[in-house]
Amino acid sequence: AKAEGRARYKFFNQELTKTVRARLEIEAELRHAIQNNELLVYYQPQYDTSSNTIVGAEALVRWAHPSKGLIPPIYFIPVAEATGLISAIGNWVLNSACQQCATWFAQGLRDFTLAVNLSPYQFLHGDIEQNVAATTAKTGFPAQHLELEITEGTLMDREIDAIKIFTALRARGVRIAIDDFGTGYSSLAYLKRFPLDALKIDRGFISDLPDDSDDAAITLAIIAMAHSLKLNVLAEGVETEAQLNFLQEASCDFYQGYLKSPAISAQDFEQLLKAEK
Ligand code: C2E
Ligand code: CA
Ligand code: CA
Ligand code: CA
């Protein structure tokens, strides 16, 4: 039994060492990736629910790893969050996406809203207002077309700061959206206190529509609440026509999801914009 316990301990220890080493490796490689321009911005189009035309694009980061290929964010965003590297990545994404979209606007492609994710760390430790001001000034991207997506948890932790930061950003014309709405803290009181512009209904509530009656009720309630608070509402992760029909009937303003398009490269998104023009 003792030997068995030792063996188990050794196993756990090795696993732990592996995990720590993997994390350190990712961290070192990620630092390198930022310096070597291995990060890319992909764009997922956002659609108007009634006209089915593109009204926005969410910037989603990808890592073009020289040997491992295109790495999705779930493999490196958590490490970046834990190490603070997310500030450098987040600022890079903001700058790169604003630069790209400013170029498209200058070419006369249709206007749309650029949505950029803001991580909790970036929001609480960085000077986001200063970064936005510097980026819009440098790239010429109009702040009125920028929307920042923030998850609920971030807000509850630092309510006073969040209200100040949102107010300053909104004074510049930037819009604020709550990401993954419905999955965070259950207090709805902050919807009244925070200066907000939009709610993004989490994919978890959308995926079983229209058959799951609980999800249907929750989705309808979020849409009704958003509208009575004068907020826009977007459904995430729309994959089927049946889901879209439900959202159309429910007067949900916008949607994004695989039904229309996954996140795609800048070149592909440009083609999509041109085709719609
Ligand atoms: P998110 O902000 O909730 O982004 C939506 C995710 O859902 C994206 O995954 C998108 O590709 C995926 N998705 C879109 N439509 C569908 C659909 O119809 N079905 C399904 N199953 N999935 C769909 P992605 O690109 O892998 O990003 C994952 C998460 O990584 C994002 O979740 C966001 O939290 C984070 N992330 C991505 N880029 C950034 C960034 O630049 N900064 C920060 N802080 N986080 C980022
Ligand atoms: Ca998002
Ligand atoms: Ca989301
Ligand atoms: Ca369900």
Side-chain angles (χ1 to χ4, degrees):
K2 217 174 188 179
E4 195 185 299
R6 248 198 322 268
R8 199 179 297 144
Y9 171 76
K10 198 174 162 206
F11 173 76
F12 282 132
N13 204 28
Q14 279 169 349
E15 284 303 298
L16 193 67
T17 309
K18 244 194 262 170
T19 315
V20 171
R21 195 181 300 140
R23 212 185 97 168
L24 288 174
E25 250 166 50
I26 296 173
E27 188 190 342
E29 280 194 74
L30 201 47
R31 276 184 204 284
H32 186 259
I34 300 166
Q35 282 153 9
N36 279 28
N37 281 316
E38 289 172 14
L39 298 182
L40 285 177
V41 177
Y42 267 40
Y43 297 86
Q44 184 175 37
Q46 300 177 324
Y47 291 84
D48 181 284
T49 307
S50 43
S51 68
N52 269 315
T53 54
I54 296 174
V55 289
E58 178 175 5
L60 292 158
V61 70
R62 299 289 181 266
W63 179 2
H65 192 282
S67 61
K68 292 175 189 150
L70 208 60
I71 305 179
I74 59 151
Y75 294 104
F76 61 94
I77 291 283
V79 174
E81 269 282 335
T83 55
L85 275 177
I86 192 68
S87 290
I89 294 175
N91 286 331
W92 181 87
V93 170
L94 178 69
N95 199 73
S96 172
C98 284
Q99 183 81 64
Q100 176 64 77
C101 293
T103 307
W104 284 329
F105 285 14
Q107 289 170 4
L109 292 177
R110 357 187 343 276
D111 282 9
F112 57 87
T113 297
L114 168 65
V116 175
N117 291 284
L118 215 55
S119 87
Y121 184 96
Q122 204 187 348
F123 185 70
L124 297 174
H125 300 275
D127 189 347
I128 190 65
E129 194 208 344
Q130 165 56 30
N131 286 331
V132 166
T135 299
T136 50
K138 191 176 119 192
T139 63
F141 185 78
Q144 294 74 13
H145 286 269
L146 182 64
E147 186 163 279
L148 298 175
E149 299 190 358
I150 298 155
T151 54
E152 293 167 79
T154 320
L155 303 178
M156 303 307 293
D157 294 345
R158 294 267 287 268
E159 178 172 331
I160 306 293
D161 297 344
I163 292 173
K164 259 194 219 143
I165 297 168
F166 287 178
T167 305
L169 286 166
R170 289 177 88 237
R172 294 183 177 276
V174 175
R175 286 200 291 273
I176 308 290
I178 302 300
D179 203 357
D180 306 340
F181 185 76
T183 60
Y185 292 73
S186 52
S187 165
L188 295 176
Y190 71 84
L191 286 180
K192 201 178 98 174
R193 294 196 298 269
F194 288 105
L196 301 173
D197 300 279
L199 301 182
K200 296 189 75 177
I201 308 175
D202 189 73
R203 174 160 59 86
F205 298 115
I206 306 299
S207 55
D208 294 335
L209 293 179
D211 303 324
D212 186 310
S213 58
D214 294 340
D215 289 341
I218 291 169
T219 300
L220 291 174
I222 294 175
I223 294 168
M225 185 175 60
H227 285 161
S228 52
L229 293 169
K230 306 218 162 32
L231 304 174
N232 280 322
V233 58
L234 178 147
E236 289 194 280
V238 175
E239 296 183 352
T240 70
E241 285 290 347
Q243 290 164 1
L244 178 57
N245 289 340
F246 180 94
L247 295 164
Q248 278 165 337
E249 297 227 332
S251 299
C252 185
D253 303 300
F254 311 119
Y255 72 97
Q256 64 188 81
Y258 294 168
L259 174 65
K260 293 293 272 187
S261 173
I264 52 181
S265 70
Q267 295 91 304
D268 289 347
F269 185 68
E270 185 176 324
Q271 292 314 309
L272 209 59
L273 282 176
K274 283 182 175 157
E276 224 192 46
K277 206 181 163 198

